[in-house]
Amino acid sequence: HASILSCSWSGGSSPNIEAAIRDAGTIGRGGKGSAVICASGNESRAVGFPASHPQAIAVGASTDQAKLARYSN
């Protein structure tokens, strides 16, 4: 029944996790869909999975000047 799912982890993709993200975004909340928010990471490299999934919203760190933090992906 969650409206928003927050994923602060990263790792390799799998068919089961990809299906869970897809299902949450389409059939969550009784067919209305749930937002899937994922951490982009703090390794100063490309955004990894699950934040890179097309149905996820990736979030990262910013500075007080509204710039991407040097350590954020």
Side-chain angles (χ1 to χ4, degrees):
H1 302 306
S3 297
I4 299 172
L5 290 87
S6 177
C7 304
S8 60
W9 51 271
S10 64
S13 65
S14 78
N16 290 338
I17 296 173
E18 290 193 26
I21 293 170
R22 186 175 50 254
D23 289 350
T26 56
I27 63 174
R29 295 186 317 132
K32 295 177 184 175
S34 298
V36 181
I37 313 296
C38 301
S40 64
N42 292 323
E43 298 84 24
S44 297
R45 62 179 185 218
V47 174
F49 185 83
S52 62
H53 190 280
Q55 288 183 272
I57 301 168
V59 295
S62 62
T63 68
D64 60 355
Q65 302 294 312
K67 306 280 186 201
L68 181 67
R70 64 174 176 74
Y71 54 84
S72 188
N73 295 346

